[in-house]
Structures are given as structure tokens and as C-alpha cells.
Amino acid sequence: MQDDTIDYQNGIRFQCQGSGKCCVSRESYGYVYLSDIDLKRFSKYFQISIKKFKEQYCEITDGFIHLAEQSELKGNCIFLKDKKCSVYESRPSQCRTWPFWNDNMNAKVWNKDISINCPGVGKGKIIKQKVIDKFLKEDLRNEKSILKNRINLQK
């Protein structure tokens, strides 16, 4: 059986181009789900309680907490302004680790979706394997926290 994982031993060339394309829902990609760390980071950034942040900026879908989308532009992140992240310093882990998510490291996904829809792939400096591994670990931790939050909501 062939392994479909991307070989990134020599790194991957990537530099964000600021297109905002990753901030817009499309087909299988949707909400920006939030972990406890993300909620704490946003709470500190806005200098409001986590509860207040959730009330003002979040929605819950299928038991998962996520950033609300713009009402006038359904699918656009609430913090996307002029194709730029207006809360870049406090952006969630899901955004910090893009495009290096475990789910994206499948060759078919990378070649047929990520590299086509993300203009930063193949541009800029080479992101080394060690850095990509760090992103993948953060992505996994984040995903576990998000799943834990859902379980906690259901209790």
C-alpha cells in the first residue's frame, strides 16, 4: 500500500500572500473552530471575559465553538477586513498553522486543493521540516482541545 503523505523532509516553499482566501469558507473548509487557548488569547486581546467574547464573536454549531461569520458576506470570517486579518496578533491556532494541518498533509488534498486555493504555496522561503512538524503538533493539540470542548458542552 502506497503512503499518500507529503514528503516534506526537505521542507516546503510557502509564504502567505495576504489573499484572505484561507479566511473564507469553501466546500469542505468552513468554520474557524476555537480551543481553550484560542479563547483565552482572544479574551486577553480584546480585554473582555471569555464569556463576553463568546457572546459577541462566536457561534456554536453541532456543539463546536467557532468564530461567527460576517452576516453580509456569509462564509467570510468576522475578522476579515479588506482581505486582511484584523486580529492577526491573536489569531486562532487553526489560522496560525495554516496550511500545515495534519489533514492537509495528504498528497491528494495538498495537490488538488491546498496548492490550488492557497497562493502562498510554492512561494517565498522554504519552511523546514522541523517548523512544519511544530505546526503539525500544534494542529493536533488544537484539534484535541476543540473536541474536548465539544464533549464538555454536551455534559
Side-chain angles (χ1 to χ4, degrees):
M1 185 171 175
Q2 186 179 352
D3 183 9
D4 283 338
T5 304
I6 294 176
D7 178 14
Y8 61 95
Q9 189 173 2
N10 296 319
I12 294 176
R13 192 172 296 281
F14 174 76
Q15 183 176 348
C16 179
Q17 301 296 296
S19 70
K21 286 186 174 188
C22 56
C23 305
V24 178
S25 298
R26 54 177 217 289
E27 296 179 27
S28 63
Y29 295 102
Y31 302 122
V32 176
Y33 296 102
L34 302 174
S35 66
D36 288 337
I37 293 168
D38 296 327
L39 291 168
K40 288 175 189 170
R41 189 184 299 122
F42 272 128
S43 171
K44 184 177 179 182
Y45 178 82
F46 284 106
Q47 298 180 339
I48 57 176
S49 70
I50 291 173
K51 182 178 189 242
K52 190 76 170 165
F53 176 79
K54 286 180 187 179
E55 289 170 0
Q56 287 185 317
Y57 302 106
C58 297
E59 294 176 354
I60 297 175
T61 302
D62 298 327
F64 292 103
I65 301 167
H66 60 86
L67 290 178
E69 294 180 340
Q70 294 179 23
S71 55
E72 66 279 4
L73 295 170
K74 200 67 176 154
N76 284 13
C77 175
I78 194 170
F79 296 122
L80 182 63
K81 310 287 186 227
D82 299 320
K83 295 185 180 180
K84 301 279 186 221
C85 179
S86 63
V87 294
Y88 189 80
E89 303 83 33
S90 65
R91 70 194 184 283
S93 292
Q94 188 173 328
C95 304
R96 290 170 186 272
T97 58
W98 176 263
F100 303 110
W101 297 350
N102 290 282
D103 289 347
N104 292 349
M105 300 310 283
N106 174 290
K108 287 181 184 175
V109 172
W110 190 269
N111 294 328
K112 292 185 179 186
D113 188 8
I114 307 309
S115 64
I116 291 169
N117 290 301
C118 180
V121 173
K123 300 210 173 81
K125 65 180 182 172
I126 292 177
I127 308 299
K128 296 184 188 244
Q129 179 182 6
K130 189 187 287 187
V131 175
I132 294 170
D133 285 340
K134 184 180 158 205
F135 285 137
L136 294 172
K137 284 179 186 168
E138 182 179 346
D139 176 55
L140 187 60
R141 269 194 315 271
N142 188 56
E143 194 172 311
K144 286 179 180 179
S145 176
I146 289 166
L147 289 170
K148 182 181 141 223
N149 281 347
R150 181 173 191 248
I151 292 166
N152 287 341
L153 286 171
Q154 292 179 339
K155 289 182 181 177

